[in-house]
Structure formats: structure tokens, C-alpha cells
Amino acid sequence: YNLHGMKLKVLLGALGMEILLVSCMQDPAEGNDKQLYSQSCSDCGFDTFFALQQMDVHRDAFPDVFQEASSMFRHYNDLFDIYHSYEGINNLKTVNDMAGIRPVEVDPEIIDLLKTAEYCCELTDGKMDVTMGALLQVWHAYREEGLEANAAGNGGAVPETEELKTAASLSGWDHVIIDEEKQTVYLTEPGMSLDIGALAKGYAVERIAGYLLEEGYGSGAVNGGGNTRILGPRVNGRPWRIGIQDPRGEGAIVTILWEDAVSVVTSGDYERFYTGTDGRVYHHIIDPVTCEPARTYHSVTIITERSDLADALSTALFTMTLEEGNALLETLRNEYPGIPFEAVWIMDGSSDVSAVHSMTVNRQLIIYTEGLEGKLAE
């Protein structure tokens, strides 16, 4: 289906902390000498784990398949890194470093990522905006210092509103010049920066899934730090079981049952956070309107076809009301008939929210879209 105004083809390209693939790993493919193989690594990129899970592959081929897939994950880490430079490439850190100075010639995949990011910003009315890197940098710095303070038994400092508003002003797609002919990106405002944390892993996972599908691997899953991309139906015909992390406990709080290819991505308040001197917890998902962490939900999970769009939507819906989130999903369903756009919201069980499709588990309220009726299990 269409993204940023053009027809896009399928993008090429253990257990998670956000999403757990909980289906059995003992079913061989019938009628051939394949088995189901899984392998993961913790140092392949994006400061998280990477895994291929339950891949229907010949034994001798799997090591090479995993090597290629994990190398792709590392490749995208290097391209999209905003904190480190790498010899021989201009990555997004280079683009940020040259803000207000000059255009930077970049890999075509950076252009493609940014065009996708611009589409997602328009789609979500600015709720998922990668140009707000300066604001996210402020919170990143305070979070790092806050974690050190917390480790010493103290509360961390909290940024002042004026500092946040000043950083937020250094944003906007009108300050991003993308020259596709020259393959350059230029941020026109000094101090401006891009932060693609809400999209990069999903983009990488979708590219890797596309590569595996082109190579003929139609069953299994790609898992990049909890961004789960199911390639196709299980070889035994039973549904995949994809668990959503309990935001306030261990393991899965609810399991999604799905039979075919799909992406499942969660954004949650339980991974990167610190406690401030005011006793409040400050996590990493920032509402661009308030410039502070969004506080309505503990997690939002998106179920749709593409991992990059699921990644972006999970962040955007985290900062929206239920009504706004449902309206956006309905718009997408109407625009792309036949493609699933479903969501699971988890919040405090004491929340004064009513919904037709809901359940309470472990004192947490779980609300889900109508299309997931009959597809969730405790």
C-alpha cells in the first residue's frame, strides 16, 4: 500500500523485552528435512537483542541466514545511529552534526527512512515527529544523569519548562531539505537534530523480513528488540502466539493469537525511565504537545502489516487519547482495506475509562480494538 505518496514494494531488508514469541518450537516441517531454528544475539545493534525465531530452514542453511540477517541489523544501526560515528559512512549523526552548516550526502536508505518518517508525521498530525531530536536530547541527558542519581539513592533533576520549549522550537519538516537527486539531507537550523528512535528498529526489521521473504523463507519471525515481524503462517497450521509484556510484572500479560504474516510492536513506559526529585517517574516517550512524558498508558501495542509503520503508530498512539487513536486506525482501515490496523492499550486498572472491548488482568485495564475480539488470551 502507499506510503509518502508512492506505491512501495515490500521493504528489503529468544524472548523480547516488549513482545514475547511464546509459541512452541518443536514442530518440524512435514514432508522435508527442515526443522524450526532460532538464534539471537545481544550485540547486533540498536542497543538491544536481535533474533530469528522458529525459522523453517534447512539445518545447513540457517547459520548463513542468521549471519546475513544480523549483519543487516548492524548495518541499519550504523546508518541510523545519532550518537556514534563510523568510518567510511555518513550516518544520521553526521547529518545532525552538520545542522545549519551544509548538506550531507547519505545512503539512499537514509533518504527512504526520512521520507517514511515524514509521511508518519503527517499521518499522526505531528505526534510522531523525528525532527524533535533537540527536545529528546534534553530528556536523554536528564535521564542519564537521573539514572546515576537514582543509583546513588537520590532523585534526578527535572528540566524546566522553558528549556523544553526552547528545544522543541528547533523542529519542523520545513527545516529539513531532502535532495533525492543529489542524495543529500540538510537541517537548516543550527542546533536542530533528528531522532528516529520511534521508527528505526521497525524499519530495519521490515527490511530484514523483506530479504528473508525474497529468499523464500515464508515461516518464522524476525524480532528486533521486541519489534516482532511474523513472516507467514506456522508450518503446523496453528496460530502464532505473541505475548505482550506485562508493564508492571514479569512475562506476558496477554497473548495475541494470529495465523498469518503480521507485525506487532509495543511502546511502553517501563524500559527507559528515572525518578525525579519530585518523586515522579519520567520515561522516554515524550508528548510533543506538552514536551513531557505522556502519562495515560503503560503501553500501547500495534498490530499491522509493516513493522516500520507499527513502530511509528505505537509511539504516536501512546500520546493520543483513545478516541484519537481509534479514529486514526479507522482512517487507515478505510484507506487500506484488507490490511489489519489493531491496537492494545494497557493502563492502570483504576483508570476511569470504559470501552466495549476490554479486560482487567493483574489489576491493569486492557482495552483493544474490535478486530482483536477472539484473538487475545490471558
Side-chain angles (χ1 to χ4, degrees):
Y1 52 103
N2 290 318
L3 282 183
H4 51 75
M6 64 184 71
K7 186 75 173 179
L8 292 185
K9 60 184 178 180
V10 175
L11 292 176
L12 289 178
L15 294 177
M17 297 209 33
E18 293 179 347
I19 297 181
L20 318 174
L21 191 61
V22 294
S23 51
C24 172
M25 294 172 50
Q26 299 175 351
D27 303 311
E30 296 181 5
N32 58 40
D33 58 352
K34 295 181 181 179
Q35 297 288 327
L36 301 185
Y37 292 98
S38 298
Q39 187 172 341
S40 64
C41 59
S42 59
D43 58 352
C44 292
F46 293 100
D47 196 27
T48 189
F49 73 93
F50 173 78
L52 295 184
Q53 298 174 273
Q54 302 187 49
M55 292 290 296
D56 181 23
V57 182
H58 287 279
R59 179 179 61 186
D60 293 342
F62 183 68
D64 290 339
V65 172
F66 180 77
Q67 178 61 43
E68 179 64 22
S70 59
S71 294
M72 290 178 70
F73 198 66
R74 168 59 68 182
H75 164 73
Y76 292 118
N77 170 87
D78 295 355
L79 273 187
F80 304 152
D81 199 333
I82 63 172
Y83 299 108
H84 306 94
S85 300
Y86 301 92
E87 186 175 356
I89 66 170
N90 289 333
N91 61 5
L92 283 179
K93 181 180 185 301
T94 315
V95 174
N96 289 343
D97 289 346
M98 292 297 105
I101 300 175
R102 63 171 176 83
V104 176
E105 186 175 356
V106 297
D107 189 287
E109 288 176 306
I110 289 181
I111 300 287
D112 189 54
L113 173 78
L114 293 180
K115 297 295 287 185
T116 301
E118 186 174 17
Y119 164 80
C120 290
C121 184
E122 294 172 357
L123 177 69
T124 62
D125 196 24
K127 290 291 189 176
M128 204 297 289
D129 186 357
V130 305
T131 73
M132 300 196 71
L135 173 63
L136 298 183
Q137 280 185 356
V138 171
W139 278 109
H140 176 79
Y142 275 86
R143 186 166 58 250
E144 292 295 300
E145 294 176 1
L147 288 170
E148 292 183 6
N150 290 174
N154 302 314
V158 178
E160 296 289 339
T161 300
E162 183 178 351
E163 182 179 6
L164 297 175
K165 295 295 184 182
T166 298
S169 69
L170 295 171
S171 63
W173 281 97
D174 54 329
H175 301 306
V176 182
I177 299 177
I178 298 174
D179 189 325
E180 295 188 65
E181 182 177 347
K182 295 181 179 179
Q183 290 293 311
T184 60
V185 178
Y186 179 41
L187 307 182
T188 62
E189 293 297 305
M192 185 178 178
S193 67
L194 303 173
D195 188 315
I196 39 66
L199 185 62
K201 280 192 302 180
Y203 183 96
V205 166
E206 188 63 33
R207 285 268 179 160
I208 294 166
Y211 155 75
L212 293 170
L213 290 168
E214 285 201 347
E215 291 295 309
Y217 302 109
S219 184
V222 184
N223 195 331
N227 290 38
T228 299
R229 172 64 153 86
I230 303 298
L231 299 177
R234 290 180 65 187
V235 294
N236 63 11
R238 294 198 293 266
W240 292 96
R241 298 175 58 87
I242 309 165
I244 299 176
Q245 172 75 31
D246 185 341
R248 296 296 181 264
E250 299 294 328
I253 189 171
V254 69
T255 300
I256 301 167
L257 308 178
W258 205 271
E259 295 183 351
D260 207 343
V262 75
S263 294
V264 183
V265 179
T266 295
S267 291
D269 66 0
Y270 48 84
E271 283 199 313
R272 288 176 281 163
F273 61 87
Y274 76 99
T275 302
T277 52
D278 56 3
R280 301 184 75 186
V281 173
Y282 293 87
H283 61 79
H284 72 291
I285 306 174
I286 307 303
D287 185 334
V289 175
T290 66
C291 298
E292 295 190 354
R295 299 191 177 277
T296 303
Y297 316 110
H298 295 315
S299 74
V300 175
T301 298
I302 297 295
I303 301 94
T304 191
E305 186 178 82
R306 293 173 49 140
S307 186
D308 50 359
L309 189 55
D311 207 355
L313 288 174
S314 69
T315 299
L317 265 68
F318 199 98
T319 66
M320 295 179 177
T321 65
L322 278 173
E323 293 75 17
E324 290 170 338
N326 271 309
L328 175 55
L329 295 176
E330 186 62 23
T331 296
L332 287 167
R333 292 188 200 107
N334 291 332
E335 188 170 353
Y336 306 112
I339 294 174
F341 289 97
E342 309 298 340
V344 178
W345 295 264
I346 301 179
M347 61 191 79
D348 285 335
S350 60
S351 300
D352 185 19
V353 178
S354 61
V356 174
H357 305 285
S358 65
M359 63 177 79
T360 300
V361 182
N362 295 347
R363 293 179 294 180
Q364 296 177 80
L365 176 62
I366 300 175
I367 295 175
Y368 54 93
T369 48
E370 183 179 3
L372 293 176
E373 188 68 36
K375 293 181 179 294
L376 295 183
E378 295 184 31

